[in-house]
């Protein structure tokens, strides 16, 4: 797996640079960029993981929380710079949907084909359920509804207020998990297991890889954003579809792979943590951060999704809350999540 | 009970035929048709049950799943043929509401008057909760929201796509329940109990009864559909009210009776399975099948409910998910469900 | 604490009377009235509690249920008399939000700072969850949605019907809790504890205090209602903000204080019961009662909230249902509820 990613970077990055310089056709560039970003993301993931182990659980948790969705953040910043507000909101929607339905769905489904019943930490699942309802239903739906009777300026003020509250609550959640209640809700077995890990790379090698990969992702992302319009025309895809489905899959490919691997190894705790943790990170950290960052650009981004985006996110959250509520999974629960993802995918394609 | 139904068929069927030929007043015919269908439905139910026992649990489950809502399906097909799309959608809504609120409500309430606390299989309840959220919130709400910005043609494409996914998932749910995970989530007690049953009728008698009753239901249903307009005028009922409340009660009368009988016998597992299983069958099998069948008729039916229909179905689903979540019931929980049904009934009456 | 309230009444009540007679500035009167009502409410609370103990658990429960939100009811009746329908609906919304998010949030947060994990009766929590979904999603959302296609007159008929059903179900809930299922879902420990209490005041003293405090609250409330318009102008607050945030905090101050005290004493059962019980009382008893009382006034009040009011209430209910579902709390869960309250507060301030 790692070798394949090395090959992809070794080929994809030069091709990205050459193709950009010589203005190859957008559709070809789009594919090259996407593949390169996915391969680079795997390097960022491995570097972050090594650093986390070296730094110990607290700083490690913080690092994972910050760099876990770095790729999406970078792509989104370049899209913001271009004023593509609706693409950014669509890609945030796509991340939420992709993680909750596609990543978790595939994990439950493929894990469930191998094991009849898989279980995960029920306390974490319930803790996450509360945050999902908060982030998606309180923090996303309410500004949309209120914005209907607010001026644009007031909507932006409201968005900034919500953004700050989301980030504070996200940091509080980390503090809760890593400091005040570390291990409180863990079973004995889990706490023993976690000692064994050894980092893949040393501290400085990890930092170097992380820095270089981030730079490369930034370079490719900036160019990727410019291809959206032409690619949309070529394939008959709307901006919404590109944002919700394509960008989200590219931005989250690393999580997809690792969650599924964990599920097939019957480490369902980790798979669920990746899928739902990543969703929460996007909703409670990446999204509000982008609102604040957008203030630096000419066009600022309010936290106002479209109705189809909100309805699909709310459905996905309710589905996940009900399905994860018992701390168990099987192939059929995975099937439900995947079926929901297909329905939503068709919907955004037609829109 | 069975004798009463025999009498009703023996009187109702000839009256239905004579009344139809001699063009009696619609309101009188309407009542005769409804009573006759209810009585015939009990025969179809008994025949299906006998066949299920003869055929063994797997084929039996499939038979139950297919013929369980045959009456509704037949009435709906004749309504589709007449182009009464909104009546069909209303009757699907009514089936969902009637099963979730009226059937389960009466079962919980009457069972709860006799027993202080009744319990049912919590795994099944949670499995069903996930499917309810999927069917009603993902598969019903999303097309309605997306249809607002879609052309009629694209809405129909989306409906067909969702219909196919729903039917596949419904079949997967049967496969899960009857093959891969049969008995996995069952308590010891239950699995023993189920051996004792003996079929009421032999294989060929059951098939004959089922065939004849189905034909008779089809004949009466076709005529029933023609009375809706005049009956609505006579009683001041809207088409919506007829569909949501009247057709749904007639179409589900058999389930109502058997669920309540089971609840009073403290077989709460079966009562809940009938109520929620029947809801899922309507939402995941009958509704999408009707969408596909409607393609054969001049007017095709998209899976787009009205807002009041959706809001009441979503409320009913959330109520049931929360109430069934603990695997226990009592008379007051039944009261909540019945109160919700009354509120919704008044609402559709006024609409 | 009690001495402080005595002082506030001793100073606030005369000042209220003098200020009213001499027409002091509205903003100053507003503050005096609010403080006086809060202090008087504490007397009403203590009198009700003493009476409850004297009267035994059944009548006591009924008394608590009736007088628990008497202050809100009185303020609302005077607002109705003035035709301030939207202020009344806003203050009902505010009570629901304040109890579910602010009272429960502060209880969970402050209790959680002292104790790592606090637990409360999971049966009560689930029972209440069902009622919350019923009251807010079935009984509040449905009339709003239906009212869009109903005449004003029919909307009022629907509201009265729902009001009567809500009150019947509320009484049934009391009957369930105090008669048919008393102690059925209680742990051994709890049932022992409750014997020890002794009433603060004797029967007649309690009745006298309750009567006098109620009269005084009525007098001050009538005048308070008249200050809303000028206060709104002075502070730049909309009627909605005054209703949802200010009136709700004043009307519920007593519950706020006692719930938090209980939480810090680790009597989480009582704290949750105050917060959620009070919400249910408002939604299922005070709100429908006001609909019925409004029929006596020139302008009658339908049970039709605005969309922002409904969306915030539904969010709050879903958040509470998911968070209370495990029968445990910690500081972070309190933080989530408080964060939701802040977001909603900002929203109504901007509206």
């Amino acid at each position: 797996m790692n070798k394949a990613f090395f090959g992809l970077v070794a080929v994809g990055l030069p091709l990205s640079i050459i193709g950009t310089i010589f203005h190859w056709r957008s559709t070809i560039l789009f594919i090259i960029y996407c593949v390169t970003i996915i391969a680079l993301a795997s390097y960022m993931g491995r570097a972050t993981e090594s650093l986390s182990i070296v730094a110990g659980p607290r700083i490690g948790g913080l690092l994972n929380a910050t760099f876990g969705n770095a790729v999406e953040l970078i792509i989104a910043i370049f899209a913001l710079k271009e004023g593509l507000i609706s693409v950014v909101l669509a890609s945030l929607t796509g991340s939420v949907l992709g993680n909750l339905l596609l990543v978790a769905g595939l994990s439950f489904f493929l894990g469930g084909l191998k094991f009849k019943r898989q279980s995960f930490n029920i306390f974490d699942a319930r803790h996450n359920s509360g945050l999902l309802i908060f982030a998606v239903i309180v923090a996303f739906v309410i500004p949309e509804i209120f914005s209907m009777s607010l001026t644009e300026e007031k909507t932006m003020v409201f968005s900034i207020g919500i953004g700050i509250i989301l980030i504070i609550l996200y940091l509080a959640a980390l503090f809760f998990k890593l400091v005040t209640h570390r291990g409180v809700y863990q079973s004995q077995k889990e706490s023993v297991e976690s000692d064994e890990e050894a980092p893949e790379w040393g501290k400085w090698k990890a930092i170097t890889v992380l820095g270089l990969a981030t730079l490369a992702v930034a370079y490719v992302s900036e160019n990727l954003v410019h291809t959206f319009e032409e690619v949309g025309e070529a394939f008959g895809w709307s901006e919404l579809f590109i944002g919700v489905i394509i960008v989200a899959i590219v931005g989250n490919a690393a999580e997809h792979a690792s969650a599924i691997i964990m599920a097939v190894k019957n480490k369902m705790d980790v798979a669920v943590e990746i899928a739902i943790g990543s969703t929460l990170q996007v909703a409670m950290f990446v999204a509000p951060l982008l609102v604040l960052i957008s203030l630096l650009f000419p066009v600022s981004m309010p936290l106002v999704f479209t109705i189809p985006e909100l309805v699909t996110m709310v459905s996905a959250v309710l589905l996940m809350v009900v399905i994860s509520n018992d701390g168990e999974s099987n192939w059929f629960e995975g099937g439900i999540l995947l079926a929901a993802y297909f329905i939503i995918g068709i919907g955004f394609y037609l829109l």
Side-chain angles (χ1 to χ4, degrees), chain A:
Chain A
M1 195 78 176
N2 288 344
K3 275 188 187 166
F5 282 127
F6 177 77
L8 286 176
V9 169
V11 175
L13 199 52
L15 277 183
S16 296
I17 296 171
I18 295 166
T20 309
I21 292 169
F22 291 100
H23 295 289
W24 292 359
R25 277 182 50 201
S26 286
T27 44
I28 291 168
L29 283 177
F30 176 78
I31 294 164
I32 296 173
Y33 294 154
C34 286
V35 172
T36 311
I37 289 176
I38 293 173
L40 286 166
S42 86
Y43 276 89
M44 291 178 66
R46 284 158 65 196
T48 310
E49 207 151 300
S50 296
L51 272 182
S52 304
I53 297 171
V54 174
R58 289 190 192 178
I59 308 292
L62 214 62
L63 275 172
N64 258 319
T66 319
F67 281 94
N69 283 292
V71 176
E72 280 163 282
L73 192 60
I74 294 168
I75 300 179
I77 289 172
F78 283 109
L80 273 187
K81 207 185 120 199
E82 298 294 310
L84 301 171
I85 304 292
S86 61
V87 173
V88 174
L89 288 169
S91 78
L92 292 170
T93 304
S95 271
V96 168
L97 296 174
N99 280 305
L100 282 185
L101 302 178
L102 188 58
V103 179
L106 280 173
S107 303
F108 285 6
F109 186 74
L110 296 175
L113 290 185
K114 219 169 144 189
F115 303 93
K116 207 153 220 169
R117 289 168 81 165
Q118 296 189 292
S119 62
F120 45 86
N121 189 318
I122 198 169
F123 291 107
D124 283 353
R126 286 173 175 175
H127 172 82
N128 287 337
S129 289
L131 285 173
L132 283 175
I133 298 273
F134 176 80
V136 174
I137 301 194
V138 176
F140 287 0
V141 172
I142 287 178
E144 156 68 30
I145 299 294
F146 278 66
S147 76
M148 291 176 186
S149 4
L150 288 179
T151 61
E152 252 180 62
E153 204 187 335
K154 279 189 173 178
T155 302
M156 200 60 219
V157 171
F158 196 19
S159 299
I160 296 168
I162 293 176
I164 293 169
I165 291 173
L166 275 170
I167 292 175
I168 292 173
L169 197 67
Y170 183 68
L171 297 177
L174 289 177
F175 186 69
F176 175 81
K177 219 171 177 176
L178 302 174
V179 184
T180 72
H181 283 61
R182 191 151 78 85
V184 170
Y185 299 108
Q186 245 163 351
S187 62
Q188 206 59 35
K189 199 194 72 187
E190 295 168 57
S191 52
V192 172
E193 249 177 274
S194 56
D195 294 34
E196 303 165 35
E197 288 178 288
E200 186 185 356
W201 296 324
K203 187 178 164 189
W204 293 109
K205 181 163 180 197
I207 290 176
T208 314
V209 171
L210 188 59
L212 288 176
T214 305
L215 276 179
V217 164
Y219 171 79
V220 182
S221 298
E222 176 161 25
N223 293 307
L224 173 69
V225 168
H226 289 110
T227 64
F228 288 164
E229 210 182 313
E230 284 180 47
V231 168
E233 277 167 28
F235 290 103
W237 293 344
S238 65
E239 264 196 357
L240 207 60
F241 183 75
I242 294 180
V244 173
I245 306 296
I246 308 303
V247 175
I249 290 181
V250 174
N252 291 298
E255 282 102 318
H256 290 227
S258 45
I260 292 162
I261 290 166
M262 288 301 165
V264 175
K265 284 185 187 165
N266 207 15
K267 295 192 175 178
M268 216 59 202
D269 267 326
V270 188
V272 170
E273 186 54 37
I274 294 172
I276 304 191
S278 195
T279 310
L280 290 173
Q281 212 173 12
V282 168
M284 299 182 65
F285 185 70
V286 176
L289 199 63
L290 287 170
V291 169
L292 299 181
I293 289 173
S294 82
L295 297 174
L296 308 172
F297 295 118
V299 191
S300 51
M301 181 178 84
L303 200 58
V304 176
F305 293 89
T306 64
I307 298 283
E309 288 169 342
L310 280 180
V311 169
T312 49
M313 282 195 279
V314 170
S315 313
V317 163
L318 290 178
L319 201 54
M320 181 47 95
V321 166
V322 169
I323 281 181
S324 68
N325 179 41
D326 59 354
E328 281 205 31
S329 70
N330 52 54
W331 69 263
F332 183 68
E333 289 188 347
I336 298 180
L337 296 172
L338 291 174
Y341 192 72
F342 285 132
I343 287 179
I344 291 170
I346 297 173
F348 279 112
Y349 179 78
L350 291 171
L351 216 61

